Amino acid sequence: DAGITQSPRHKVTETGTPVTLRCHQTENHRYMYWYRQDPGHGLRLIHYSYGVKDTDKGEVSDGYSVSRSKTEDFLLTLESATSSQTSVYFCAITDRGNTEAFFGQGTRLTVV
Amino acid sequence: DQQVKQNSPSLSVQEGRISILNCDYTNSMFDYFLWYKKYPAEGPTFLISISSIKDKNEDGRFTVFLNKSAKHLSLHIVPSQPGDSAVYFCAATPNSGTYKYIFGTGTRLKVLA
């Protein structure tokens, strides 16, 4: 298994509070991704990173920000959580293009 | 606008028979395609992939077919086993240097014993 750890694995938070999810890898892979999974929508890309301090938006980036200050860590922040951000969040990593991406176990976030 | 589409949300197949999962895409810049399997409460796991320079790739019971002119790919599982019951996602990525993996909405496969 690829060395990807997501934390926390479960979180319940209140509307309007900031939340940070962490993805930590031990593979030294260059590319890291954050996805959310929702019924009927599959996996949608939120943000991704192609190197330290190099990030870009995905399909559903509104309300989210990311940071990557080290190769091994990619943080996803919900600046002011809303109920529509209740979802399961997955981190993925890959070393290069035209190869598979490896996923973490997911973080289930509930915004009440 | 969904660039990768899986129009069948669910599929039921008898054990031992063939399962065929379909996926369509709209972006002609996609040049690498993947299938992932996902069990409940787990992350997606890679199953098989295909480059746009090929039209078929086989790995054991799993075969992926790519029809570039139709912008269509399919995953064949033969023979299907109860352990194959899961949600299957197709994904595509362009060779643009940023390697964004775009996923479909998934198809839930149920293999009946």
Side-chain angles (χ1 to χ4, degrees), chain A residues 9 31 33 35 37 40-43 45 48 57 59 90 94 96-105, chain B residues 2 31-32 34 36 38 41-44 46 51 89 93 95 97-106:
Chain A
R9 293 293 313 279
Y31 301 92
Y33 308 82
Y35 290 88
Q37 184 195 6
H41 292 279
L43 290 157
L45 181 63
Y48 64 103
K57 297 178 180 180
E59 306 164 272
F90 289 100
T94 189
R96 55 182 172 83
N98 286 10
T99 187
E100 65 267 30
F102 299 97
F103 281 80
Q105 293 289 85
Chain B
Q2 197 79 22
D31 73 342
Y32 191 70
L34 310 93
Y36 281 80
K38 187 183 181 304
E42 295 184 10
F46 170 74
S51 166
F89 292 100
T93 181
N95 187 16
T98 54
Y99 307 123
K100 293 165 62 172
Y101 292 77
I102 304 301
F103 283 79
T105 53

Side-chain angles (χ1 to χ4, degrees), chain A residues 39-59:
Chain A
H41 292 279
L43 290 157
R44 291 182 292 175
L45 181 63
I46 306 171
H47 281 280
Y48 64 103
S49 169
Y50 44 96
V52 174
K53 292 189 168 61
D54 291 323
T55 65
D56 205 349
K57 297 178 180 180
E59 306 164 272

